[in-house]
Amino acid sequence: MLVIGAGAAGGALTWRLAQGGLRVVCLEQGGWIDWAHDAPTSGYDWEVIRETSRHPNPNVRCHAWDYPVADADTEIKPMMWNGVGGSLVHWGAHFPRLRPSDFRVRTLDGVADDWPLDYYELEPYYDLNDRMVGVSGLAGDPGNPPRSPRQTPPVSPGRGGSIMARAFDRLGWHWWLPDIAINTEPYGGRGACNNCGPCDLGCPQKARVSTDVTYWPLAIGLGAELRSECRVAEVTVDEHGLATGATYFDRDGRLLHQRAAAVVVCANGVGTPRLLLLSQSKHHPNGLANSSGLVGKRLMHHPTGFVTGVFDEMLEDWKGNFSQAIVCQHFYETDLARGFVRGFQMQCIRAGGGPVGTAVGQYLAGLPWGEEHHHRFAEQFGRTVSLTVTSEDLPEETNAVTLDAELKDGNGIPAPRLHYRVGDNTKRMIAWGVDRAVEAFQEAGAKRIVTQQLVESAGFHFLGTARMGDDPADSVLDRWGRAHDCANLWVGGGSPFVTGAGLNPTSTIMALALRTADAILATAKGREVAG
Amino acid sequence: MSGKGAGAGAGPGAGTDAGPDASAPGDPATLLVAVLDRLLPPHGDLPGAGGLGLAAQILPERAEGVLAQLPAGFTALAAAEQTAALAAVEQAALAAFALLLKFAYIAYYRDPRVMARIEQATGYAARPPQPLGYELEPADPTLLDVVKARAPHYRDTREVTR
């Protein structure tokens, strides 16, 4: 088996295949991070590194492991990491599951498409993945289906999260302590979180999940081979159009070929369609597995509104994982009286940043220069709480990943180009959600409230670019993640998503990958999975 | 006053009667010190960013786009006039100004004297986040009382047929 990409999906899937006895080689274009010696948060320059060499945007970071992304035609800029662990290397570790309705949006709400599986079919894989990586949280949320006990206790909401929880209570809005892929106690041979804050710069305690510290050591222990700094240029096919392996550039720039009985592409929602579109042949003239014409299309993000409250009280907002203190899914389900279909979640986050981040501006705008600067710093630093409006983006074929005609990566391979505009339903949803967040901050007693209708830098989740479905005419993959057009080609990651949901996708990406691995194992053993 | 968004101000050429260096923009290093003192002025017992000696930490190419547009005699102008001149440069050369401002902020807020002042004022420790991390106070055990009491209210789909 050949797996392309060593991120969330590639790591989980490779472990499962290796556990099932298959010989697996994984090609990953980036390298490893040595957390013992290369943890930015251990140095005084951590905020400088966050703005430069570890910036989440590959076009800013420009690391040799990266490929450029043409982003002039997108309202939301790409944020990703290319290396072992994938974008989990710099994620915030918010780990919600999709809700049952997310799999049935056509039937329930008359929009987009239903998934070819439902929540309850995926539930055992959510549970398996949770046990493998370790999730902190609290079972018993009446707003979600019952779930198994969390591996470690919930993260404290801190002062800011507690203020917002009380405000939600007074407004009658449901909230809960979120599932977070961070150990609050040692688990899985990894340490416990010490609440340092900037999870996006990696975790020297290895408390925050990424596959380089969870699945990969296990997979390699089972015999899987991971070749890092090896960039795939093309998935190759035989005279029947079946995958034969991939050509790739190794770290010395040599063009090599890896043969395989089957190929699994787990290169994220941008890299996967890029590679499929690059892999043109007589049998696949428009790109591999693209007879539907949908490879790269239906790109979905989580367009995000962002509201910050500045409080008189010192909240010490630098303490604790930045990406979530509590979560509110009160407005998640459709209520057409609001003027839009589907809904959103609000993550209550501690995004104040350190002193540099406060001044330069991250989610919140930077501080003014001049005489007002020091007053504004004192008013704001450590005293903020933010709410996201994480919206559900409906799939549209005009939102797409294509190949750029001119831009190329360091190996001369054409770069992807993003074409993306926020849809009207999503705009109405965010505007309504921002008003609710303002209402919550007014209830909480914030003295200044700052709103953003769309965070340009929130392009963390690339979904839908090789969607699953039952009909080969309007989907790329079947219900197991196997290409309709190529029986030994499989896809993991965000690309298979049929719809985007209004919450963070990683637990679903990993659960789907484990499920796809089981389908591959069944196929390899001559037991075709049910259709 | 705040420079950001302040549109009015002296344009190039303002202050041309301001002293011996009136006919030339001036030595870049000296100019940068003056600029930094306007971007991040003195605060309490701390001098401005220029007075703290932070100009040496800013690469010339990150400042030249701003310095090149300053009026002759900038260093001889009064503080308010310098601020107005910088506001005009910000309007005229937004990207160059933003670049210098970003690295001025970075230099300032990683300076040990500034970090010590922040620690004194806020409790934010003047050290990197790791390896010590922080103590996060535990949640009030009653915090969940209201939400725990709710009945299940998610939208179940077990009976939904596609």
Side-chain angles (χ1 to χ4, degrees):
Chain A
M1 295 295 305
L2 172 63
V3 175
I4 300 169
L13 181 136
T14 299
W15 165 77
R16 190 66 162 174
L17 294 179
Q19 187 195 45
L22 294 189
R23 180 169 176 269
V24 188
V25 172
C26 177
L27 299 173
E28 164 55 52
Q29 66 189 316
W32 292 84
I33 299 287
D34 176 0
W35 293 114
H37 301 99
D38 191 15
T41 46
S42 298
Y44 283 92
D45 276 343
W46 67 277
E47 289 196 277
V48 183
I49 292 170
R50 195 184 224 175
E51 295 290 329
T52 53
S53 61
R54 292 287 178 87
H55 195 285
N57 185 334
N59 294 333
V60 175
R61 194 172 60 228
C62 297
H63 196 285
W65 297 345
D66 292 319
Y67 55 87
V69 180
D71 65 359
D73 298 332
T74 175
E75 292 182 270
I76 296 177
K77 302 305 179 189
M79 306 289 150
M80 63 174 76
W81 182 259
N82 296 302
V84 179
S87 293
L88 303 192
V89 166
H90 78 126
W91 72 320
H94 188 39
F95 215 57
R97 298 180 180 187
L98 265 63
R99 295 160 66 103
S101 71
D102 288 317
F103 297 85
R104 293 290 177 267
V105 297
R106 165 60 66 180
T107 299
L108 292 173
D109 295 327
V111 293
D113 299 285
D114 290 347
W115 289 50
L117 69 157
D118 69 8
Y119 175 85
Y120 299 97
E121 186 174 340
L122 198 56
E123 189 175 33
Y125 291 101
Y126 278 128
D127 283 340
L128 170 61
N129 187 57
D130 289 354
R131 289 195 303 275
M132 289 302 299
V133 300
V135 179
S136 64
L138 184 68
D141 176 10
N144 271 280
R147 63 191 56 172
S148 53
R150 310 292 74 197
Q151 283 68 37
T152 62
V155 174
S156 171
R159 293 182 190 174
S162 299
I163 287 173
M164 297 312 296
R166 299 291 190 203
F168 288 156
D169 281 350
R170 291 193 294 274
L171 290 166
W173 300 355
H174 187 68
W175 62 273
W176 198 254
L177 297 174
D179 280 357
I180 304 175
I182 292 175
N183 290 349
T184 52
E185 296 173 350
Y187 181 84
R190 303 171 4 250
C193 175
N194 63 7
N195 306 304
C196 84
C199 307
D200 53 310
L201 289 174
C203 183
Q205 312 297 331
K206 300 184 180 178
R208 189 212 56 181
V209 169
S210 51
T211 52
D212 58 327
V213 300
T214 53
Y215 280 111
W216 277 112
L218 297 174
I220 291 168
L222 289 166
E225 180 186 355
L226 172 51
R227 292 182 206 154
S228 58
E229 299 180 67
C230 290
R231 176 175 285 140
V232 174
E234 180 183 6
V235 176
T236 53
V237 297
D238 64 14
E239 65 275 18
H240 305 295
L242 292 171
T244 57
T247 55
Y248 68 98
F249 291 93
D250 73 1
R251 69 187 63 182
D252 298 318
R254 294 176 299 182
L255 187 61
L256 304 172
H257 184 261
Q258 174 63 47
R259 287 194 59 80
V263 175
V264 193
V265 184
C266 300
N268 103 10
V270 174
T272 290
R274 177 198 187 202
L275 183 56
L276 297 180
L277 293 171
L278 284 166
S279 303
Q280 298 177 3
S281 62
K282 184 180 76 174
H283 279 278
H284 304 281
N286 299 317
L288 186 54
N290 195 23
S291 67
S292 67
L294 289 175
V295 168
K297 293 184 178 175
R298 296 166 60 104
L299 169 66
M300 293 170 284
H301 291 288
H302 287 122
T304 299
F306 200 85
V307 182
T308 298
V310 182
F311 290 77
D312 281 327
E313 180 184 352
M314 170 51 72
L315 301 177
E316 298 184 331
D317 64 13
W318 60 83
K319 293 183 175 180
N321 61 308
F322 78 91
S323 73
Q324 65 286 85
I326 64 173
V327 64
C328 173
Q329 296 182 341
H330 189 77
F331 304 106
Y332 196 85
E333 302 293 351
T334 295
D335 179 349
L336 293 177
R338 298 172 188 153
F340 54 87
V341 66
R342 303 298 295 158
F344 59 91
Q345 76 169 12
M346 292 192 282
Q347 281 171 252
C348 176
I349 72 175
R350 315 174 235 243
V356 170
T358 300
V360 170
Q362 291 172 336
Y363 289 110
L364 211 57
L367 298 181
W369 58 271
E371 295 297 334
E372 193 186 346
H373 179 87
H374 299 301
H375 166 71
R376 286 287 298 280
F377 183 90
E379 178 211 40
Q380 185 172 314
F381 181 72
R383 301 172 193 273
T384 69
V385 187
S386 298
L387 290 173
T388 70
V389 177
T390 306
S391 68
E392 174 162 353
D393 198 9
L394 297 177
E396 299 180 36
E397 291 195 16
T398 50
N399 288 335
V401 179
T402 62
L403 298 178
D404 192 79
E406 297 177 4
L407 192 64
K408 292 181 169 54
D409 67 22
N411 293 110
I413 304 170
R417 171 171 283 274
L418 303 184
H419 310 262
Y420 183 84
R421 292 289 176 273
V422 180
D424 290 340
N425 186 73
T426 307
K427 286 179 183 171
R428 291 194 298 273
M429 185 187 302
I430 293 176
W432 194 90
V434 165
D435 286 347
R436 297 292 73 69
V438 169
E439 187 180 352
F441 280 117
Q442 288 170 338
E443 178 64 35
K447 73 171 181 182
R448 184 161 66 90
I449 301 171
V450 183
T451 65
Q452 293 180 66
Q453 289 293 325
L454 183 68
V455 179
E456 183 187 74
S457 59
F460 308 108
H461 308 147
F462 307 99
L463 306 170
T465 51
R467 62 155 293 192
M468 293 189 293
D470 295 324
D471 185 350
D474 65 9
S475 58
V476 178
L477 311 172
D478 71 8
R479 67 193 312 275
W480 302 101
R482 175 163 51 182
H484 290 301
D485 298 347
C486 183
N488 65 343
L489 176 74
W490 307 72
V491 173
S495 292
F497 277 45
V498 179
T499 55
L503 45 73
N504 309 51
T506 303
S507 68
T508 303
I509 286 172
M510 298 175 90
L512 282 174
L514 293 170
R515 179 175 173 273
T516 293
D518 277 0
I520 293 171
L521 285 167
T523 303
K525 292 172 181 171
R527 301 195 307 268
E528 277 295 313
V529 288
Chain B
M1 95 179 241
S2 163
K4 208 155 215 172
T16 50
D17 58 349
D21 65 345
S23 61
D27 163 49
T30 306
L31 269 179
L32 184 55
V33 170
V35 167
L36 291 177
D37 274 339
R38 293 285 65 77
L39 298 180
L40 291 150
H43 181 49
D45 57 353
L46 282 181
L52 284 169
L54 302 181
Q57 296 183 28
I58 295 177
L59 296 173
E61 59 266 32
R62 287 173 176 153
E64 62 192 14
V66 170
L67 301 187
Q69 300 221 23
L70 291 172
F74 178 83
T75 56
L77 295 174
E81 295 172 308
Q82 288 182 339
T83 297
L86 279 169
V89 174
E90 183 179 28
Q91 292 281 309
L94 198 60
F97 196 91
L99 180 68
L100 173 60
L101 188 63
K102 175 177 179 174
F103 284 93
Y105 283 173
I106 287 173
Y108 185 77
Y109 282 105
R110 63 183 295 282
D111 183 86
R113 293 160 290 185
V114 176
M115 292 172 67
R117 183 183 180 82
I118 292 171
E119 178 171 314
Q120 187 181 34
T122 68
Y124 178 81
R127 60 167 172 80
Q130 291 286 355
L132 298 178
Y134 306 108
E135 195 67 37
L136 187 59
E137 60 193 64
D140 175 350
T142 69
L143 193 65
L144 283 146
D145 286 355
V146 172
V147 289
K148 273 184 173 174
R150 290 199 172 100
H153 57 274
Y154 60 92
R155 209 172 172 191
D156 202 356
T157 59
R158 272 175 289 206
E159 306 304 321
V160 172
T161 306
R162 291 168 62 199

